[in-house]
């Protein structure tokens, strides 16, 4: 008998089982790969919601930034329970449960808009994020099991390619079906009668109802389709038990790993912050630009992000991942500082370019953090690194506070400092620290 991390079985039996799974897993694989698209839509619709809620509820930047705080708090709090649920009930059950939460959260936007309650919207976003935590925890390993082991990496890379496509779709949905193109300055709002002002704000709030209703119904329908689809009996037999306190203690005492956690926290915060406030930056630094037009910069950012993933992968054939990470972090420091010093169209273009160089950061930091570790430490280390996405909540709120105090351009100092942390991590990796 041989333990290979996927099961404990004879090689011929494993080969025969893999071939059988491959024949029966095409439809299940398509259904699961689609999930990467669906959570890309949800993630980047938040960038639209920040601008929309700021207008509809007349919020300052700090309160508008709570959209991301509620969203990423859901990820942080639910990631570990989702993993425990998956271990108890299996991959398919976790996916269906995650889609149910995602769909319910989207449907909650309708009553939230009827009540015009910002807190209700934040709760709905928390429910959506909880569902996505289940999906991200279960879908990645599920994809690797739906087919032969030797092509697992190819399947996962294909699945991940659908994520930025979903992100772009989310922005386009927001741009064409949520943004009205009607912008009222504070002076114009003050000059309006109470009834006209209330009608305008109610219309802007209601703009999210139909898009999220359709998203919710599609997601719930997809969950039902997965529930009714027969999946091959794939599972990781013979897995070791969850990492114990010894592995956790070793990880937290390992400076290389704690630096990876720190770098990932700041990277996610920088990425979410730049995208969340890009529309706001364009409108503030290029006066007169409506949100609908400013959203084009966000769409361009996501296209650059997707292009950067392919380019980064090609460049890693010639440059070590540590060196490429350091180079891209240094370039992004320069771009964000430029956006601070030169607000306007040029500064906005610099922030768009940031996305190209951000593209390789998350997977590279992740890989370097778990590199060379045993199975227990790799599993627990992966879970801890996923939890660092709470940086998206913390640093986006910090950017909102800086923006309220000193302007949106100066708020870009937060991602600039974040890229400094990523650069320091990459330099320590190069030095073998």
């Amino acid at each position: 008998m041989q333990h290979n991390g996927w099961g404990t079985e004879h090689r011929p039996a494993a080969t025969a089982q893999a071939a059988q799974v491959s024949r029966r897993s095409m439809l299940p694989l398509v259904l699961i790969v689609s999930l990467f698209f669906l959570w890309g839509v949800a993630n980047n619709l938040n960038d639209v919601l920040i601008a929309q809620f700021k207008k509809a509820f007349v919020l300052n930047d700090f309160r508008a930034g709570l959209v991301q705080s509620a969203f990423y708090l859901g990820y942080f709090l639910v990631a570990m329970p989702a993993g425990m649920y998956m271990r108890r009930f299996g991959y398919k059950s976790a996916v269906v449960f995650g889609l149910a939460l995602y769909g319910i959260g989207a449907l909650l936007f309708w009553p939230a808009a009827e009540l015009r309650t910002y807190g209700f919207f934040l709760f709905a976003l928390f429910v959506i994020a909880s569902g996505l935590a289940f999906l991200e925890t279960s879908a990645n390993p599920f994809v690797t099991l739906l087919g032969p082991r030797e092509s697992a990496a190819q399947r996962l890379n294909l699945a991940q390619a659908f994520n930025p496509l979903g992100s772009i779709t989310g922005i386009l949905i927001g741009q064409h079906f949520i943004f009205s193109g009607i912008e009222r300055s504070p002076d114009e709002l003050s000059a309006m009668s109470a009834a006209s002002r209330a009608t305008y704000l109610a219309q802007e709030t209601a703009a999210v109802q139909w898009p999220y209703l359709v998203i919710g119904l599609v997601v719930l329908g997809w969950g039902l389709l997965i529930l009714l689809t027969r999946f091959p009996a794939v599972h990781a037999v013979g897995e070791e038990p969850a990492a114990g306190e010894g592995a956790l203690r070793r990880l937290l005492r390992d400076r290389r790993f704690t630096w990876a956690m720190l770098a990932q926290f700041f990277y996610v915060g920088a990425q979410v912050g730049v995208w969340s406030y890009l529309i706001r930056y364009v409108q503030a630094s290029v006066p007169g630009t409506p949100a609908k037009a400013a959203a084009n910069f966000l769409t361009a950012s996501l296209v650059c992000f997707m292009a950067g993933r392919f380019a980064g992968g090609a460049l890693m054939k010639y440059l070590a991942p540590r060196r490429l990470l350091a180079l891209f972090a240094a370039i992004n420091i320069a771009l964000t500082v430029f956006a601070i010093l030169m607000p306007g169209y040029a500064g906005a273009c610099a922030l768009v370019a940031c996305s190209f160089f951000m593209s390789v950061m998350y997977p590279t930091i992740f890989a370097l953090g778990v590199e060379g570790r045993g199975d227990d430490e790799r599993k627990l280390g992966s879970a801890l690194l996923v939890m660092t996405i709470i940086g998206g909540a913390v640093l986006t709120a910090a950017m909102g506070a800086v923006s309220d105090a000193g302007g949106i351009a100066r708020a870009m100092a937060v991602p600039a400092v974040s890229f400094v942390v990523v650069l320091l991590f990459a330099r320590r990796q190069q030095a073998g620290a």
Side-chain angles (χ1 to χ4, degrees), residues 196-228:
S196 297
R197 184 172 182 269
T199 299
Y200 167 71
L201 296 177
Q203 288 173 342
E204 294 298 325
T205 305
V208 303
Q209 285 182 304
W210 283 104
Y212 271 87
L213 176 65
V214 172
I215 289 170
L217 293 176
V218 168
V219 167
L220 290 175
W222 209 259
L224 181 61
L225 183 59
I226 290 176
L227 181 64
L228 297 177

Side-chain angles (χ1 to χ4, degrees), residues 273-354:
V274 169
W275 288 353
S276 295
Y277 287 109
L278 182 56
I279 293 173
R280 173 83 175 89
Y281 178 94
V282 172
Q283 289 188 286
S285 59
V286 186
T289 305
K292 198 165 188 174
N296 288 324
F297 286 84
L298 190 53
T299 304
S301 295
L302 295 169
V303 172
C304 287
F305 188 77
M306 185 163 56
R309 284 192 164 173
F310 291 105
L315 287 172
M316 283 183 187
K317 296 179 181 178
Y318 309 101
L319 281 177
R322 296 165 176 81
R323 292 185 178 276
L324 189 65
L325 180 64
L327 175 63
F328 278 17
I331 292 172
N332 269 358
I333 293 168
L335 289 171
T336 47
V337 170
F338 182 86
I340 296 168
L341 300 176
M342 300 291 292
Y345 183 80
C349 289
L351 293 177
V352 169
C354 271

Side-chain angles (χ1 to χ4, degrees), residues 95-133:
V95 165
V96 172
F97 190 73
L99 286 169
L101 287 175
Y102 181 177
I104 290 169
L107 294 181
L108 287 175
F109 267 57
W110 191 282
E114 290 294 316
L115 295 172
R116 293 204 67 246
T117 305
Y118 185 50
F120 199 162
F121 277 116
L122 296 182
F123 172 73
L125 284 168
F126 180 87
V127 175
I128 290 174
S130 299
L132 297 188

Side-chain angles (χ1 to χ4, degrees), residues 39 85 105 108 119 125 136 141 143 178 181 221 287 293 332 388 413:
W39 77 60
Y85 181 99
L108 287 175
L125 284 168
E136 294 211 38
V143 166
I178 294 179
N332 269 358
T388 61

